[in-house]
Amino acid sequence: MNPEAVRAFVAVAEEGQFRYAAGRLGISQQAVSKRVASLEASLGVALLRRVPSGAVLTDEGRTFLPHARSVLAAIRRAAASVRPEPARPLRVDVLRPGLAPAGLLHDFHRDHPGVPLETVTLEGADAAARALSAGEIDAAFGYPRRPVALTDPRLAAAPARLEEFDAVVGAGHPLAGARTVTLAGLAPYTIWMPGLRDGREWSDFYRELTAVFGLTVDGGGPDFGWPALLDTVADSRTLVTFAGRGTRLTRDAGPPPRRLRIAPPTPAYPWSVLWHRDNPHPSLPALLEHVRATAPGQAGQAGQAGQARGLWFPTGAFGPGR
């Protein structure tokens, strides 16, 4: 039985889609599909069934899954018993390029140029917690909505950064001439954030934001990435979107969009760093220390620190174990 095929099956079973499993494993979607097909052929049963939303376990797959996880855990223990952790890059999930975690990791690389790094882009904190528990990554950034120890008692989380948001509008938008805007001033307009899906932490963030401040957020439609979103907003006279304070607003063509500072209370996304307490990678402590030194405060102080700066973020975002 090929361990990599077993690993691919577990990833698809946990992520629910082949493309998310591919991102988690750092291989192509086609490679994941081939590995799962090879495993099914060797066992003589179908483990997964494709559906419009992705993939679901068959009865045989549900029976096999806990044994597959045990196989992978046994392989990791066997390898660790005879050799130290191999020299390899520190593998960190940043969710997607251009967000605050990618910038934070870039700053870490600048301060620690001798530490080899590899970035991955998983589908949120829940997927990152599973990948950390499986030993597939060394650290991750996200906004966990529940204590990560519920996934694995050896997982930990700590505040990493409060990413302040600006409003972004096109040159023809009624707000284009302003330098600042309040959340109340954004209430008459639609905040466009395509690709929001139930069950993801950024969807919960915007849901609470809209409930508190009476905003309208449209999260429908496919997410074609930041450049496509920016082009649409830049050419619109009605849409608004949010961008992190450090996110670049560059376009290949057409007039550039306008960035408006949001007067307090300013929305801020509460990033945490996640890791496994038993991870032996020699560079992980340096990354955690870098995050600690630039964090908005320890878990018990982060709320006060954000409030003192006039920031708004979800209640309990930096609660115990998050």
Side-chain angles (χ1 to χ4, degrees):
M1 187 178 298
N2 185 339
E4 294 307 316
V6 177
R7 197 182 312 279
F9 161 71
V10 170
V12 176
E14 293 179 344
E15 301 301 333
Q17 292 196 22
F18 280 81
R19 67 186 182 97
Y20 294 158
R24 169 171 156 179
L25 298 176
I27 60 178
S28 70
Q29 183 173 334
Q30 183 180 21
V32 173
S33 183
K34 287 183 176 180
R35 291 180 184 183
V36 171
S38 173
L39 177 63
E40 291 177 323
S42 68
L43 295 173
V45 296
L47 301 172
L48 295 164
R49 179 168 56 86
R50 291 182 182 270
V51 295
S53 60
V56 296
L57 290 165
T58 62
D59 290 342
E60 292 79 4
R62 280 189 289 272
T63 300
F64 183 68
L65 181 58
H67 300 289
R69 288 175 172 146
S70 297
V71 166
L72 297 179
I75 290 173
R76 289 195 299 273
R77 290 194 298 269
S81 70
V82 296
R83 59 176 171 80
E85 181 73 11
R88 60 171 177 78
L90 187 70
R91 203 159 190 250
V92 183
D93 168 39
V94 296
L95 188 62
R96 67 180 62 178
L99 299 181
L104 193 156
L105 198 60
H106 183 268
D107 292 341
F108 171 75
H109 179 62
R110 181 193 59 207
D111 295 342
H112 300 78
V115 175
L117 292 173
E118 179 182 345
T119 62
V120 298
T121 54
L122 303 181
E123 287 294 315
D126 290 344
R130 293 191 294 268
L132 286 166
S133 183
E136 295 162 356
I137 59 175
D138 301 300
F141 293 95
Y143 162 35
R145 295 155 298 158
R146 62 191 187 113
V148 293
L150 294 179
T151 299
D152 185 327
R154 299 301 295 167
L155 294 183
R161 180 163 296 183
L162 286 167
E163 183 180 16
E164 298 179 37
F165 282 179
D166 293 328
V168 179
V169 299
H173 194 279
L175 296 174
R179 299 184 62 181
T180 63
V181 66
T182 63
L183 288 173
L186 294 176
Y189 305 99
T190 297
I191 313 298
W192 196 50
M193 302 297 298
L196 295 182
R197 302 201 311 275
D198 290 340
R200 302 298 186 183
E201 58 263 28
W202 46 92
S203 298
D204 289 350
F205 174 89
Y206 284 112
R207 185 178 297 110
E208 187 166 344
L209 179 67
T210 57
V212 172
F213 295 101
L215 302 178
T216 300
V217 173
D218 183 358
D223 179 8
F224 293 112
W226 176 245
L229 185 156
L230 196 61
D231 283 342
T232 300
V233 171
D235 293 335
S236 172
R237 295 178 178 272
T238 59
L239 296 177
V240 181
T241 196
F242 289 130
R245 185 63 50 83
T247 302
R248 296 181 180 180
L249 305 183
T250 56
R251 301 178 68 197
D252 293 333
R258 309 294 171 86
R259 182 190 293 269
L260 285 64
R261 292 293 175 96
I262 301 177
T266 305
Y269 198 81
W271 294 101
S272 290
V273 61
L274 321 177
W275 74 97
H276 198 291
R277 299 181 193 274
D278 295 336
N279 186 303
H281 197 290
S283 297
L284 179 59
L287 174 63
L288 297 178
E289 173 58 26
H290 177 85
V291 172
R292 187 201 64 77
T294 59
Q298 297 303 318
Q301 304 169 340
Q304 297 176 1
Q307 292 166 4
R309 292 161 54 191
L311 304 181
W312 176 90
F313 48 91
T315 304
F318 290 130
R322 286 176 172 79

